[in-house]
Amino acid sequence: MATVDDLDQVLERYHLALGEIVRGDPEPLKMLYSHREEVSLANPFFPPVSGWDKAARNIERAASRYRDGEIVGFEPVAKYVSSELACVVEVERYRAKVGGREDISPMALRVTSILRPEEGTWKVVHRHADPITTPRPAESVIQE
């Protein structure tokens, strides 16, 4: 079983793998995820999904929307760790070409990641990322 001390090393690999996503490569990130059916993913491009096959497909689809990206930084908000689960809340900042654009644009994502020990290391079992990093009016949640 992974120890709490292993978490910081796994988070370093996780951050590097996220840097590969904004260059268009999903494989390093997929390796850090649990491949079990209770994995879930809510990324900024698609509705939330659960199950490894759907999560893997959405990781691949998200990576295909980025090119020529780089990590700007990770701003920690909170980290909670027990022997069975870890929850990490961060603001992730990148620069990349997004979609069909040819210019490199700054991006910021508010992210919650949940990890658990599997097979001797921490694996991501849930990731929620959205672009809300500044206050918004109450009406911003209304769907029209």
Side-chain angles (χ1 to χ4, degrees):
M1 175 165 296
T3 65
V4 173
D5 294 336
D6 297 330
L7 181 63
D8 288 335
Q9 291 177 342
V10 171
L11 290 175
E12 273 186 50
R13 290 196 313 272
Y14 185 45
H15 290 161
L16 292 173
L18 292 165
E20 293 303 315
I21 285 286
V22 295
R23 285 188 273 287
D25 182 1
E27 296 308 316
L29 185 60
K30 287 170 48 181
M31 290 175 28
L32 295 173
Y33 267 73
S34 171
H35 290 197
R36 297 180 184 168
E37 282 311 299
E38 61 269 15
V39 70
S40 55
L41 173 63
N43 71 25
F45 299 118
F46 310 106
V49 296
S50 62
W52 170 241
D53 291 339
K54 290 177 185 174
R57 192 166 35 256
N58 275 4
I59 293 169
E60 292 163 1
R61 292 169 62 202
S64 74
R65 294 184 173 210
Y66 296 116
R67 304 182 320 286
D68 303 330
E70 66 181 358
I71 296 168
V72 173
F74 297 92
E75 299 168 17
V77 175
K79 181 166 78 170
Y80 310 97
V81 183
S82 75
S83 61
E84 296 177 7
L85 279 178
C87 176
V88 179
V89 181
E90 301 174 296
V91 174
E92 300 175 355
R93 298 192 184 276
Y94 306 95
R95 293 174 20 90
K97 293 179 182 176
V98 182
R101 297 179 65 139
E102 287 303 317
D103 58 320
I104 293 181
S105 302
M107 299 176 292
L109 296 173
R110 171 182 69 171
V111 178
T112 301
S113 301
I114 299 174
L115 300 90
R116 73 172 172 215
E118 286 183 13
E119 300 171 13
T121 190
W122 291 94
K123 294 286 187 174
V124 178
V125 293
H126 174 74
R127 176 178 167 88
H128 173 258
D130 65 48
I132 301 172
T133 59
T134 58
R136 297 195 175 192
E139 296 79 16
S140 69
V141 299
I142 298 171
Q143 290 186 322
E144 305 221 12

